[in-house]
Amino acid sequence: MIERNIVKAPSCVVENHHLDCFEVLTDDEKQIVENHTLEIKYKKGEIIAKQGSFASHVIFLKEGLVKVFLEGNPKDLILKIIPSNHLITLSSIYEGNTTFLYSAATYVESTASLIEADIFKQLIRKNSNFASKIINILNENTAQVYGRFYALTRKQAHGRVADILLCLSQRIYKTKQFSLSLSRNDLADLTGLSPESVIRILKEFKEEKLIEVKGKSIEILNNKSLEKISSFG
Amino acid sequence: MIERNIVKAPSCVVENHHLDCFEVLTDDEKQIVENHTLEIKYKKGEIIAKQGSFASHVIFLKEGLVKVFLEGNPKDLILKIIPSNHLITLSSIYEGNTTFLYSAATYVESTASLIEADIFKQLIRKNSNFASKIINILNENTAQVYGRFYALTRKQAHGRVADILLCLSQRIYKTKQFSLSLSRNDLADLTGLSPESVIRILKEFKEEKLIEVKGKSIEILNNKSLEKISSFG
DNA sequence: CAATAAATATGAGATAAATCAATATTTTTT
DNA sequence: AAAAAATATTGATTTATCTCATATTTATTG
């Protein structure tokens, strides 16, 4: 058998924690951030950031589950899923481009902190430890998206579905059995497949006893096999 | 007609200049960089950076044309093309990951400067203007890759080929008529298609008088139409 | 310059996944 | 609790693209 998946970057859609980047700020700086931060609650399905609109804020997700996606017609492209305690819109804030490069929408009820972009840029210029942290996050993010890019362009349908199932189980819900907050359509968007194809593959996996599916409830029965399918395409 | 390509991010594979990030360094810092930089010449087709290997240096392409790609079996995924005066491996140097996330190989004879990664990290931590510049480059790069991600997952074969033709003409060779230094296979890798499909589509474009092809020589005859094909899919 | 290798081109058939249409199930509204 | 709407499922058909086989052209080498 050939080693198909040489890409070691995580093909999963979530990232590591981002909270600690604020820890390198001085007390004064923390105060500045706090003074220029707005906290907002969003309902399920709401748009947090709209592609092309003015990116006046850096958005930090305190609680919830958010998708970051490029808007397209007829289909969007989901770049990543963001869980609690992560920065959502960071790459939008570079000089020369002050609009959001992508949209972000909630999957579930969520709470976000909106930090003024100018303040953020100032901190980067003043506190190089902070800048260094931000660079780390950006780079992690890049690795993430590369992995996803690879999965969506090089893996076949079964591999992609296996991939997303493992991701949901291991990184989002952190249990083998979970109640999915995403619709089949969301899974289709995430895998770059049609909803029908996703459903068919879920059915196949079920018949092969790799998973148990009952509506929104999903249980991973055979991790090993799914991992094999995920990495071999 | 529907507006298919809402994504305004550049789907082309090259980026803006990177040289000026070094301009914000002090004379002392410039000297440090110089003292820790190695200049190396590469022949056509040589590997500059190998995915998974120790990323001890940040690589700056002084002269040449390089592809950055994820290695996969049976096919690689080209993330971007890098022309002269650009940083090649930047996202590799974040803390916690000291290996190259991707490989880089030359399309033509090239010259690169290898700057010690530790020095680079030090500069980021010391000079926040430099850090700010680097963040800009990283973000630009991200926008770039997102555009490419969209093109390769949402556009059909014709759109992708049109895309790459426009990219080569406008951003790499900067003329309507150019002698291609890439093989059909390279074009296949860039578009995520099979070489046969690329060739077939080039032939169609030729028959429709959109381009003129004779072996390695390509001339763009109808920019407008190609742009339409590129954005609608 | 012939001989060989490599790259490019072309056609026929195979295939993965999309689309379309119909039905079933779940969720929401009244 | 019933009706409506949204979501999920299934099957049949179509289609874009790949694969494989085979020419042809171009480049390389003795």
Side-chain angles (χ1 to χ4, degrees):
Chain A
M1 219 178 264
I2 315 155
E3 196 196 345
R4 186 82 173 280
N5 183 24
I6 297 175
V7 178
K8 292 285 182 271
S11 55
C12 176
V13 286
V14 287
E15 305 158 12
N16 298 323
H17 272 245
H18 290 172
L19 245 184
D20 48 335
C21 77
F22 296 106
E23 278 166 21
V24 300
L25 296 179
T26 64
D27 288 346
D28 278 3
E29 288 169 337
K30 278 180 190 162
Q31 193 57 51
I32 293 172
V33 169
E34 211 164 292
N35 291 345
H36 293 84
T37 297
L38 258 158
E39 193 158 300
I40 299 191
K41 281 210 168 199
Y42 296 92
K43 278 175 277 182
K44 179 182 172 176
E46 265 191 286
I47 297 278
I48 290 186
K50 177 74 180 171
Q51 185 174 312
S53 77
F54 184 55
S56 52
H57 294 79
V58 170
I59 304 175
F60 178 82
L61 183 66
K62 284 187 81 169
E63 185 62 48
L65 187 60
V66 166
K67 68 171 168 180
V68 165
F69 59 104
L70 295 178
E71 297 202 17
N73 198 306
K75 267 188 178 182
D76 298 335
L77 170 65
I78 298 182
L79 294 168
K80 46 186 173 171
I81 297 185
I82 314 246
S84 306
N85 291 319
H86 286 75
L87 285 158
I88 301 177
T89 61
L90 198 50
S91 46
S92 297
I93 53 122
Y94 68 92
E95 275 144 72
N97 184 338
T98 49
T99 58
F100 288 121
L101 297 173
Y102 40 65
S103 293
T106 56
Y107 279 130
V108 299
E109 199 180 75
S110 303
T111 310
S113 297
L114 277 62
I115 308 159
E116 283 179 30
D118 286 339
I119 297 294
F120 216 86
K121 285 182 193 171
Q122 262 179 46
L123 289 176
I124 287 169
R125 242 174 277 115
K126 275 188 196 154
N127 184 333
S128 46
N129 281 323
F130 183 69
S132 186
K133 286 277 185 191
I134 296 298
I135 287 174
N136 270 352
I137 292 174
L138 288 173
N139 277 325
E140 244 169 40
N141 178 58
T142 301
Q144 177 81 64
V145 173
Y146 285 0
R148 192 162 156 66
F149 195 173
Y150 185 88
L152 259 63
T153 52
R154 289 287 173 264
K155 289 184 187 178
Q156 313 206 148
H158 289 78
R160 292 191 227 162
V161 174
D163 208 73
I164 204 70
L165 286 173
L166 290 170
C167 171
L168 289 167
S169 163
Q170 293 169 359
R171 308 263 204 123
I172 308 264
Y173 299 106
K174 294 175 182 170
T175 50
K176 296 227 163 204
Q177 203 273 324
F178 50 88
S179 171
L180 192 65
S181 36
L182 316 185
S183 70
R184 299 293 192 262
N185 225 336
D186 291 329
L187 292 182
D189 276 348
L190 273 170
T191 51
L193 299 170
S194 70
E196 292 95 329
S197 292
V198 170
I199 287 164
R200 261 181 277 266
I201 289 165
L202 287 178
K203 193 184 165 194
E204 279 180 55
F205 284 174
K206 187 182 174 179
E207 279 163 1
E208 289 161 27
K209 305 256 183 262
L210 303 179
I211 58 171
E212 183 54 54
V213 200
K214 242 181 217 147
K216 290 281 175 196
S217 156
I218 293 183
E219 184 177 2
I220 308 290
L221 297 178
N222 192 335
N223 233 303
K224 276 263 167 66
S225 292
L226 282 176
E227 265 161 25
K228 232 178 217 169
I229 293 169
S230 165
S231 51
F232 285 89
Chain B
M1 218 179 263
I2 315 154
E3 197 195 344
R4 186 80 173 280
N5 182 24
I6 298 176
V7 178
K8 294 284 181 271
S11 56
C12 176
V13 286
V14 287
E15 306 158 13
N16 298 322
H17 271 247
H18 290 172
L19 245 183
D20 48 333
C21 77
F22 295 106
E23 279 165 23
V24 300
L25 296 179
T26 64
D27 287 347
D28 278 3
E29 289 170 336
K30 277 180 191 163
Q31 193 57 50
I32 293 172
V33 169
E34 212 165 293
N35 291 345
H36 294 84
T37 298
L38 259 157
E39 194 158 301
I40 299 192
K41 281 209 170 202
Y42 296 93
K43 279 175 277 183
K44 179 182 169 175
E46 264 192 286
I47 297 278
I48 290 186
K50 177 74 180 171
Q51 185 175 313
S53 77
F54 185 54
S56 51
H57 293 81
V58 170
I59 305 176
F60 178 82
L61 183 66
K62 284 188 82 169
E63 185 62 47
L65 187 59
V66 166
K67 67 171 168 180
V68 165
F69 59 103
L70 295 178
E71 298 203 17
N73 199 307
K75 267 188 176 183
D76 299 335
L77 170 65
I78 299 182
L79 294 169
K80 45 186 174 171
I81 298 184
I82 313 249
S84 306
N85 291 320
H86 285 75
L87 286 159
I88 301 177
T89 61
L90 198 50
S91 45
S92 298
I93 52 122
Y94 69 92
E95 277 143 70
N97 185 339
T98 49
T99 59
F100 288 121
L101 296 174
Y102 41 66
S103 293
T106 56
Y107 279 130
V108 299
E109 199 180 76
S110 304
T111 310
S113 297
L114 277 63
I115 308 160
E116 283 178 30
D118 286 338
I119 298 294
F120 217 87
K121 285 182 193 171
Q122 261 179 48
L123 289 176
I124 286 169
R125 243 174 277 114
K126 275 189 196 154
N127 185 331
S128 45
N129 282 322
F130 183 68
S132 186
K133 286 276 185 192
I134 296 298
I135 286 175
N136 270 352
I137 291 173
L138 287 174
N139 278 325
E140 244 168 38
N141 178 58
T142 300
Q144 178 81 64
V145 174
Y146 284 0
R148 193 164 156 67
F149 195 174
Y150 185 88
L152 258 66
T153 52
R154 288 290 173 260
K155 290 183 189 180
Q156 310 205 153
H158 289 79
R160 292 190 228 163
V161 174
D163 208 74
I164 204 69
L165 286 173
L166 289 170
C167 171
L168 289 167
S169 163
Q170 292 169 0
R171 308 263 204 124
I172 307 263
Y173 299 106
K174 294 177 184 171
T175 51
K176 296 226 163 205
Q177 204 274 323
F178 51 88
S179 172
L180 193 65
S181 36
L182 316 184
S183 70
R184 300 294 191 261
N185 223 338
D186 292 328
L187 293 182
D189 277 346
L190 273 169
T191 50
L193 299 170
S194 70
E196 292 95 329
S197 292
V198 171
I199 288 163
R200 261 182 277 267
I201 289 166
L202 286 178
K203 193 185 164 196
E204 279 179 53
F205 283 174
K206 187 181 174 181
E207 280 163 0
E208 288 160 27
K209 306 259 181 258
L210 303 179
I211 58 170
E212 183 53 53
V213 200
K214 242 182 216 143
K216 290 282 176 194
S217 158
I218 291 183
E219 184 178 2
I220 309 290
L221 298 178
N222 193 335
N223 233 302
K224 277 263 167 67
S225 292
L226 283 177
E227 266 161 23
K228 232 178 218 170
I229 293 169
S230 164
S231 51
F232 284 88

